């Protein structure tokens, strides 16, 4: 499946790619932060309902990718993107 054709609420939209020369670059939807940055910020504690929204978003995104025959291959907190409300998580 072409990455640019994947459309789901929990998958960051791919807007373009630079494939000539090194390094290879993907241009994706801009999000406010990533889960690893939020977790590293001691001043911001995630309430349990927000944690649930994040976990649900990650699971929904992974389920969609599996449905399309795509394996993420690098799931980690740095690759979980969050909006400013912390209630929308995208891969």
């Amino acid at each position: 499946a072409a990455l640019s054709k994947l459309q789901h609420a929990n998958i960051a939209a791919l807007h373009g790619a630079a494939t000539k020369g090194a390094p290879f670059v993907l241009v994706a939807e801009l999000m406010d932060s990533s889960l690893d940055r939020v977790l590293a910020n001691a001043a911001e504690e995630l309430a349990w309902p927000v944690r649930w929204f994040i976990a649900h978003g990650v699971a929904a995104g992974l389920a969609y990718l599996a449905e399309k025959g795509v394996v993420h291959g690098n799931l980690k907190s740095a690759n979980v993107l969050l909006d400013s409300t912390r209630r929308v998580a995208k891969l």
Side-chain angles (χ1 to χ4, degrees), residues 27-44:
V27 179
E29 175 181 1
L30 179 63
M31 298 291 287
D32 186 64
S33 191
S34 61
L35 182 56
D36 71 326
R37 288 185 180 177
V38 171
L39 293 174
N41 182 1
E44 182 176 358

Side-chain angles (χ1 to χ4, degrees), residues 47-54 87:
W48 280 104
V50 174
R51 294 177 193 197
W52 184 89
F53 278 108
I54 293 170
R87 293 182 179 264

Side-chain angles (χ1 to χ4, degrees), residues 64-76:
Y64 172 78
L65 291 176
E67 191 178 285
K68 298 296 182 184
V70 176
V71 176
H72 188 284
N74 195 19
L75 183 61
K76 59 185 178 181

